[in-house]
Amino acid sequence: GTLAKSMNVVAHGGRIEFIGVLTQGADTNPWPLLRKTATLHGIYVGSRAMFESMNDGVDLTDTDFTIVDVNGSILRMTGYAKADVVGRNGFDLLKVQDRGRALENFSGLKTRGNYMDINEYSIVLSDGGDLSLEVRTSALYDKDVNLTGFINVFRDISERKQAEEALRQSEERYRLLFESAIDGKAVVDIETKKVVLANETALRMYGFELKADLEAVDIFNFIHPEDRGRLMTAAQGGVM
């Protein structure tokens, strides 16, 4: 119970000193520690069963980022056999365009004394495909605070990435429709009465060449005085 309580109350970026044994159960949940980017120091032993049963992929590397151990989850994510990855440099499994950034991030952990880092990388799968992963990397130290290696926790974020891309494409389609519409279209901030977005047709209608010029004016000045009150009421009610 002591370790679990410490994990729950430790401050963000804090440090826990601990001597004991980690066993399967509530006390072994690492996420309170990882979420707070806190660090656990001391002498502690976890069971192999706990390591293998984690839903997230985990690997251990030495200080040169050579993989020394992995759990079953990361093997299932990537399709590799254990013999395919143990002994390889972890950077070899990343897509080429991510390797330079990963090297810089890991080097920061080594040289700046950071205890934890969170990044997103694409890993090359055994079949040649790729998978987007969130990687939480924690530096490992011995009792004399000498760096001994790193533990990396991998979470599959491919669905989130696909949703983000679908949203980006939807926004791009809307932008193209907005820009190409033959009707003048403008988005107005109801509080400032300033134009925040306008298409080319709206620019021509109001006699402006640059969007910045239209965005600097009070659009209600272009509305006939007899119609301004009605238009403002409709705008405030969300009906235009």
Side-chain angles (χ1 to χ4, degrees):
T2 302
L3 178 58
K5 293 176 182 177
S6 297
M7 286 182 172
N8 287 328
V9 302
V10 65
H12 284 267
R15 172 173 168 151
I16 299 173
E17 297 287 350
F18 177 79
I19 300 176
V21 178
L22 300 181
T23 57
Q24 188 71 23
D27 284 2
T28 63
N29 179 10
W31 286 112
L33 194 70
L34 296 175
R35 282 197 303 269
K36 296 180 178 180
T37 63
T39 309
L40 180 62
H41 282 248
I43 303 170
Y44 42 96
V45 178
S47 70
R48 185 74 198 184
M50 179 190 76
F51 181 70
E52 290 293 347
S53 66
M54 292 185 67
N55 291 327
D56 293 313
V58 183
D59 76 11
L60 300 173
T61 75
D62 63 17
T63 55
D64 294 322
F65 317 116
T66 299
I67 299 171
V68 296
D69 201 1
V70 296
N71 72 348
S73 291
I74 191 62
L75 298 178
R76 289 188 291 274
M77 285 181 186
T78 61
Y80 290 106
K82 188 172 183 177
D84 295 331
V85 293
V86 171
R88 292 181 63 179
N89 190 282
F91 296 134
D92 292 343
L93 300 178
L94 299 178
K95 293 189 71 173
V96 173
Q97 58 265 37
D98 284 348
R99 292 177 187 174
R101 179 167 56 88
L103 178 59
E104 181 179 349
N105 293 334
F106 273 79
S107 297
L109 282 170
K110 291 179 67 173
T111 61
R112 295 193 297 272
N114 297 356
Y115 291 123
M116 187 174 178
D117 205 9
I118 304 174
N119 292 282
E120 295 179 4
Y121 302 112
S122 291
I123 194 168
V124 179
L125 304 178
S126 63
D127 61 6
D130 60 80
L131 182 67
S132 296
L133 296 172
E134 178 188 81
V135 184
R136 293 173 176 255
T137 301
S138 297
L140 300 175
Y141 298 87
D142 62 19
K143 62 182 179 64
D144 297 318
V145 200
N146 297 310
L147 181 68
T148 60
F150 301 93
I151 181 170
N152 302 290
V153 179
F154 302 88
R155 175 162 290 185
D156 183 351
I157 57 171
S158 54
E159 289 187 3
R160 191 188 83 193
K161 286 295 200 182
Q162 291 169 2
E164 290 174 351
E165 177 60 18
L167 177 61
R168 187 196 66 78
Q169 292 181 6
S170 176
E171 291 174 342
E172 178 65 12
R173 286 193 296 270
Y174 174 80
R175 187 190 67 79
L176 292 174
L177 288 171
F178 183 86
E179 290 290 350
S180 61
I182 60 174
D183 296 323
K185 293 184 179 293
V187 179
V188 180
D189 185 321
I190 193 60
E191 293 185 357
T192 65
K193 304 182 182 65
K194 302 293 185 183
V195 176
V196 296
L197 186 64
N199 66 358
E200 293 296 328
T201 305
L203 289 180
R204 292 193 297 271
M205 288 173 59
Y206 290 109
F208 291 94
E209 293 184 1
L210 300 176
K211 289 184 180 181
D213 295 332
L214 179 57
E215 292 168 358
V217 302
D218 183 338
I219 195 64
F220 284 87
N221 288 336
F222 291 85
I223 306 301
H224 192 282
E226 294 181 359
D227 293 330
R228 288 176 191 170
R230 178 170 54 84
L231 184 60
M232 179 65 74
T233 299
Q236 291 174 338
V239 181
M240 292 286 287

